[in-house]
């Protein structure tokens, strides 16, 4: 919220502690919007060098070809797109239809797949959108 990012050295120290205490196979990078981190590719590469699977959870707003190519080269395994009805996004109307959200999800997923990175969807089901759950599952 304040525009600051955790330094890569701090993240690596946390990873060192976690891997010394547990057998870890996958690291998910999330929280705030990770694509805003200026050293995201460096962080992904460090995790990848440890033979760990790396997953990035993102709203997808900044997923352009250059960043996707850099993330793939760094060793990113998967992107989990988080695009929900309750989000306020510049690429959707204030109250979008399910179809508009599905179109955006599909377009971003296709962009990720075109960069040879696996893709998944992460969804928060809001109370006032609960009736849409079955439509999302079919999607």
């Amino acid at each position: 919220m304040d525009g600051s990012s955790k330094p890569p050295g701090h993240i690596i120290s946390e990873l060192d502690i976690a891997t010394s205490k547990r057998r870890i196979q996958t690291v998910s990078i999330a929280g705030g919007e990770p694509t805003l981190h200026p050293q995201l590719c460096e962080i992904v590469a460090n995790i990848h060098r440890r033979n760990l699977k790396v997953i990035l959870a993102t709203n997808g707003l900044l997923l352009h070809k250059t960043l996707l190519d850099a993330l793939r080269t760094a060793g990113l395994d998967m992107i989990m797109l988080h695009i929900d009805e309750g989000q306020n996004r510049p690429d959707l109307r204030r109250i979008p239809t399910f179809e508009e959200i599905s179109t955006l999800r599909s377009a971003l997923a296709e962009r990720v797949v075109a960069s040879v990175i696996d893709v998944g969807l992460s969804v928060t089901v809001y109370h006032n959108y609960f009736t849409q759950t079955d439509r999302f599952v079919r999607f």
Side-chain angles (χ1 to χ4, degrees), residues 97-114:
T97 65
F98 180 82
E99 289 73 21
E100 290 168 330
I101 294 166
S102 295
T103 298
L104 178 60
R105 286 174 177 145
S106 292
L108 288 173
E110 288 172 14
R111 187 180 307 164
V112 172
V113 169

Side-chain angles (χ1 to χ4, degrees), residues 30-81:
E33 176 49 45
T35 59
L36 292 171
H37 197 291
Q39 288 96 20
L40 177 60
C41 291
E42 176 185 332
I43 295 163
V44 169
N46 189 291
I47 297 167
H48 177 75
R49 281 192 299 272
R50 296 166 184 254
N51 295 317
L52 298 171
K53 185 172 184 175
V54 189
I55 299 173
L56 177 70
T58 177
N59 63 24
L61 285 171
L62 300 177
L63 291 181
H64 49 77
K65 182 170 176 18
T66 303
L67 178 58
L68 286 165
D69 289 346
L71 288 168
R72 183 190 68 245
T73 300
L76 186 67
D77 294 291
M78 175 180 256
I79 291 179
M80 293 296 293
L81 295 171

